[in-house]
Amino acid sequence: MHIIRVGFNYKTTPLEIREAFTFSEQRLNEAVKQLSTEKSILENVIISTCNRTEIYVVADQLHTGRYYVKRFLANWFQVPMEDFAIYLQIAENDEAIEHLFKVTSGLDSMVLGETQILGQVRDAFMVAQNEQVTGTIFNELFKRAISFAKRAHSETGIGAQAVSTSYAAVELAKKIFGDLSAKHVTILGAGEMSELSAKNLQGAGVDQITVVNRSMSNAEALAAKFGAQADTIDHISHVLKETDIVISSTGAHVAILTKDMVQAIQVQRKGAPLFIVDIAVPRDVEASVETIDNVFLYDIDDLQHIVDENLAARQAAATKIDLLIEEEMVYFTEWIQTLGVVPVITALRQKALLIQANTMESIERKMPDLTAREKKVLNKHTKSIVNQLLKEPIKQVKELAASDQREDALNLFMNMFDIHDDVQALLKEQSNTDGKIKPANHNNISFPLLNHLTSK
């Protein structure tokens, strides 16, 4: 069996294509169930966000697995396969597993190291698991990826540094004022950057926000999203009397705050500290404002310097996470290899216990006067002999699964104990009539060894 990842992301796919292939949250459960009915698809998880749509599957064959995922996409979105095939990125087995670890850790995001994707992966996995379209392989893989991402963020602090100007502005304010919860913040402008600033301010615990804009309706629309106050630019002097922090991002072509205006406001404020972040281009605040006592002015170049330093720190952390992913890949591969011997171990145990049961029947026929207690003692001790005898062979077969010659060694082991037919029978029981293996029933089969076990 094989793990395959098929998807679109922001790096290679235009926005209009990504939008066309976005699964709605309301129908995601229906989508994973429909995908599970496709031939060759044994398990699946669909991750769909504004920046990516990625489908992860466990398939019995690479070629058919790739084809039926693409056919599913074509049918679900009613788009001919040839119209979107050039945008698809496909990864298989180790490459697909590594990509999942990177996505979940934020290493493949537009904002390096962001944590939102971790929650999105977790939610997607939970949908698939609740719809029973995952099995042992994805239950283990996705749990490992989610746990790993949490540990990587904690150990490296990759998400601790601001890498957007609006976020950097808020972080800078926190460094100067400490706790922002009691501060009054005025946002000049009602565009995208202003909205991002408002989000980051609320995340920092700010309750008092006033949105100021030339258009009162635009100011009110943005303020309504955050439970803030709204006012027009004509009242800016009055608003700033009660303001501790100003974040300005308008589309004005001339300065909104001049030195004379801010000096007059500071007289009314009795010189209380005023922190101004101007992230507009052209600038909203005259550069000479920074010469006023107790006025701290930062422009977009100041913030970009902070962002660049923080991005360098995130990239260094990402390098560390890459190394951790390599270790995690080794652990997962070892786990997969160990899975391959489970049907072998099961067959060995079943054969040994059958011999023990037949022996007990023979003893009871030859010694019909045994009491119930004596039978119980004999049964317990003969099973104990079986378990002790099997302990070392089971240990050895697990080690064989991790060796370079595991296929030949495993075949020799099955022949040695004459259990090859028993393993075949176990695999056959776990197969559907059409040759697919049910998600709930292929729990004990490792995809690297499946072809070997079923071809002998």
Side-chain angles (χ1 to χ4, degrees):
M1 290 190 286
H2 304 272
I3 292 176
I4 306 172
R5 167 247 174 189
V6 178
F8 310 90
N9 68 29
Y10 69 95
K11 294 179 180 178
T12 59
T13 308
L15 178 58
E16 59 269 20
I17 301 296
R18 300 203 308 273
E19 288 175 335
F21 288 88
T22 299
F23 291 88
S24 68
E25 185 178 345
Q26 294 75 19
R27 297 191 65 199
L28 189 59
N29 60 331
E30 182 184 345
V32 296
K33 285 193 290 186
Q34 182 169 319
L35 178 56
S36 70
T37 65
E38 294 283 351
K39 186 178 179 181
S40 286
I41 307 303
L42 311 177
E43 302 184 31
N44 80 85
V45 174
I46 299 176
I47 301 168
S48 188
T49 73
C50 58
N51 287 327
R52 72 180 71 246
T53 291
E54 294 189 346
I55 297 177
Y56 291 83
V57 301
V58 176
D60 56 7
Q61 297 179 57
L62 283 174
H63 175 71
T64 55
R66 291 193 298 263
Y67 172 78
Y68 284 108
V69 171
K70 289 187 284 188
R71 191 181 77 165
F72 161 75
L73 284 168
N75 292 339
W76 184 267
F77 293 105
Q78 294 297 295
V79 178
M81 204 181 295
E82 57 270 19
D83 288 359
F84 62 82
I86 60 171
Y87 299 109
L88 279 179
Q89 290 187 322
I90 300 177
E92 299 161 357
N93 295 324
D94 284 353
E95 187 180 350
I97 296 167
E98 182 181 21
H99 181 79
L100 176 63
F101 279 108
K102 288 188 174 183
V103 167
T104 310
S105 303
L107 301 194
D108 193 62
S109 299
M110 291 182 73
V111 179
L112 182 66
E114 59 95 3
T115 56
Q116 185 179 13
I117 187 64
L118 172 57
Q120 292 166 333
V121 171
R122 183 185 60 241
D123 292 344
F125 169 58
M126 292 303 297
V127 168
Q129 195 174 48
N130 289 339
E131 295 299 334
Q132 299 183 342
V133 297
T134 61
T136 294
I137 293 173
F138 273 0
N139 287 342
E140 183 71 15
L141 174 60
F142 276 82
K143 286 176 183 177
R144 284 180 182 238
I146 291 165
S147 297
F148 171 80
K150 292 178 181 178
R151 177 168 65 89
H153 277 269
S154 174
E155 291 182 5
T156 66
I158 189 171
Q161 304 90 358
V163 289
S164 70
T165 52
S166 59
Y167 185 39
V170 176
E171 290 299 297
L172 189 56
K174 286 167 66 176
K175 288 183 179 179
I176 292 175
F177 288 100
D179 183 11
L180 299 183
S181 59
K183 301 302 178 183
H184 184 179
V185 182
T186 293
I187 296 176
L188 298 184
E192 181 180 356
M193 291 297 289
S194 296
E195 183 169 350
L196 288 172
S197 297
K199 286 182 180 178
N200 290 321
L201 286 166
Q202 276 201 339
V206 176
D207 293 325
Q208 301 179 70
I209 300 175
T210 301
V211 179
V212 176
N213 195 58
R214 293 190 184 280
S215 165
M216 185 62 174
S217 60
N218 289 345
E220 289 175 335
L222 179 57
K225 294 181 179 181
F226 300 96
Q229 300 297 312
D231 215 324
T232 66
I233 201 74
D234 297 332
H235 300 150
I236 186 64
S237 295
H238 174 73
V239 172
L240 293 189
K241 288 180 189 177
E242 307 298 328
T243 296
D244 301 297
I245 301 167
V246 179
I247 298 180
S248 187
S249 177
T250 76
H253 297 291
V254 296
I256 294 175
L257 296 180
T258 65
K259 181 178 180 181
D260 290 343
M261 184 188 299
V262 176
Q263 277 182 324
I265 292 169
Q266 279 299 88
V267 170
Q268 297 180 58
R269 289 167 46 83
K270 298 181 180 180
L274 180 63
F275 175 69
I276 303 175
V277 181
D278 183 2
I279 53 180
V281 179
R283 287 180 285 185
D284 287 335
V285 185
E286 285 185 350
S288 56
V289 166
E290 68 179 354
T291 64
I292 303 173
D293 289 343
N294 284 334
V295 175
F296 305 91
L297 175 63
Y298 295 86
D299 61 23
I300 195 166
D301 285 346
D302 298 320
L303 293 181
Q304 191 59 50
H305 178 67
I306 295 171
V307 167
D308 289 343
E309 288 184 344
N310 289 347
L311 185 58
R314 285 199 178 198
Q315 288 170 337
T319 301
K320 294 179 183 178
I321 293 176
D322 273 328
L323 294 176
L324 293 175
I325 288 175
E326 290 181 14
E327 293 180 6
E328 198 67 24
M329 292 280 292
V330 171
Y331 299 146
F332 184 72
T333 300
E334 290 176 351
W335 177 81
I336 284 290
Q337 290 171 344
T338 302
L339 272 186
V341 301
V342 173
V344 177
I345 292 172
T346 300
L348 181 62
R349 284 188 180 279
Q350 287 179 349
K351 182 170 185 177
L353 289 174
L354 179 61
I355 293 171
Q356 184 267 344
N358 290 337
T359 300
M360 280 299 303
E361 288 181 8
S362 176
I363 291 173
E364 290 175 18
R365 285 197 304 270
K366 294 176 180 178
M367 303 177 67
D369 296 330
L370 288 173
T371 65
R373 182 181 178 280
E374 290 170 336
K375 291 178 183 179
K376 184 176 181 180
V377 170
L378 279 171
N379 189 55
K380 178 181 178 181
H381 283 279
T382 51
K383 281 187 177 179
S384 176
I385 293 171
V386 168
N387 290 333
Q388 289 180 60
L389 285 173
L390 291 182
K391 184 176 180 180
E392 191 59 30
I394 289 173
K395 177 183 175 183
Q396 292 296 324
V397 77
K398 287 181 178 180
E399 292 178 359
L400 291 176
S403 69
D404 293 336
Q405 294 82 31
R406 54 182 172 271
E407 292 190 359
D408 290 339
L410 195 59
N411 192 47
L412 176 62
F413 184 91
M414 289 187 289
N415 290 335
M416 185 183 302
F417 287 95
D418 193 22
I419 56 172
H420 203 289
D421 290 344
D422 299 320
V423 172
Q424 292 288 325
L426 283 172
L427 293 174
K428 187 174 181 180
E429 286 175 9
Q430 295 170 357
S431 298
N432 287 334
T433 55
D434 64 352
K436 285 181 61 175
I437 297 174
K438 300 175 184 178
N441 288 343
H442 71 279
N443 295 350
N444 294 331
I445 305 172
S446 165
F447 58 89
L449 295 180
L450 178 62
N451 291 337
H452 165 70
L453 292 175
T454 57
S455 64
K456 299 295 181 181

